């Protein structure tokens, strides 16, 4: 089983959620007064979040990534162990066949079936681990998306940006530093994460 880089898998999730218009499409509840923006942006203002920085400093991302990597390593170790057992059993079987250790065809067939069973077990475990890891990764991506999307939505209620973009690498060619809200977003996300 190969190690999957969690960072690269989470990036599309982060990109998708931050490219949406913030605050648009939310239904207002007439029973609740709308909160006045604390520091409203100028009408039509844009902001961006640097995803590389967010991944480096958002504690939930760091913790969840470490947990996924540990789980991946655990799966890899188990598959390696089973693979070594299979290889040893196959080598033993071949040597015994060559040495004439098996006195009956039934003994040889039973030993061969034991090797085949180990091979089937290895293949089943690989498939099960791959499926389990994929589910854990999907759950992580969904939780990450929900966490950031919900925070951005709440954050923007008091800031009033028309749109908040994601910046990753050089996908935004130029933006004034004043448009970078990454530090505020990371601080807010971490504060909320610590409360849980």
């Amino acid at each position: 089983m190969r190690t999957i880089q969690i960072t690269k898998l989470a990036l599309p999730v982060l990109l998708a959620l931050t490219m949406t218009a913030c605050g648009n499409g939310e239904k207002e509840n007439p029973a609740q007064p709308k909160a006045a923006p604390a520091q409203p942006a100028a009408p039509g203002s844009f902001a961006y979040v640097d995803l590389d920085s967010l991944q480096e400093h958002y504690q939930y991302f760091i913790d969840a990534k470490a947990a996924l990597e540990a789980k991946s390593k655990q799966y890899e170790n188990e598959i390696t162990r089973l693979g070594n057992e299979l290889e040893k059993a196959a080598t033993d079987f071949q040597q015994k066949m060559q040495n004439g250790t098996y006195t009956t065809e039934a003994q040889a067939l039973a030993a061969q079936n034991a090797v085949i069973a180990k091979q089937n077990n290895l293949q089943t475990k690989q498939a099960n681990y791959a499926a389990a890891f994929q589910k854990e990764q999907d759950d992580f991506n969904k939780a990450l998306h929900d966490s950031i999307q919900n925070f951005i939505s709440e954050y923007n209620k008091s800031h009033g940006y028309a749109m908040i973009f994601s910046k990753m690498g050089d996908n935004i060619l130029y933006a004034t530093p004043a448009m970078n809200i990454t530090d505020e977003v990371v601080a807010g996300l971490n504060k909320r994460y610590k409360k849980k």
Side-chain angles (χ1 to χ4, degrees), residues 22-159:
C22 295
N24 296 344
E26 288 184 14
K27 295 181 181 176
E28 293 184 32
N29 184 350
Q32 293 180 332
K34 190 173 179 181
Q39 297 175 338
S45 291
F46 300 106
Y48 73 89
V49 175
D50 186 325
L51 298 183
D52 295 328
S53 181
L54 184 137
Q55 289 180 25
E56 289 177 24
H57 302 289
Y58 182 20
Q59 196 60 48
Y60 167 73
F61 182 89
I62 294 166
D63 294 347
K65 179 182 171 193
L68 278 174
E69 288 172 347
K71 183 65 80 169
S72 175
K73 188 69 175 165
Q74 177 186 346
Y75 289 159
E76 285 178 33
N77 289 342
E78 179 65 8
I79 292 302
T80 299
R81 184 186 68 77
L82 292 172
N84 291 339
E85 284 181 10
L86 173 61
E87 187 177 333
K88 182 181 182 312
T91 301
D92 288 349
F93 173 73
Q94 285 179 339
Q95 287 176 346
K96 288 180 180 178
M97 285 296 288
Q98 290 171 352
N99 296 338
T101 305
Y102 301 115
T103 55
T104 66
E105 189 176 322
Q107 285 178 329
L109 187 59
Q112 183 181 19
N113 287 339
V115 172
I116 292 169
K118 284 186 181 293
Q119 182 178 11
N120 291 340
N121 182 47
L122 175 61
Q123 291 171 344
T124 300
K125 289 276 188 176
Q126 283 176 317
N128 289 345
Y129 287 163
F133 188 74
Q134 184 62 52
K135 183 184 181 320
E136 289 170 16
Q137 234 170 2
D138 291 345
D139 291 347
F140 162 67
N141 286 338
K142 182 181 183 324
L144 179 65
H145 175 273
D146 291 349
S147 173
I148 295 172
Q149 187 67 47
N150 290 337
F151 178 81
I152 292 285
S153 180
E154 284 298 313
Y155 171 89
N156 203 45
K157 286 179 182 177
S158 62
H159 290 79

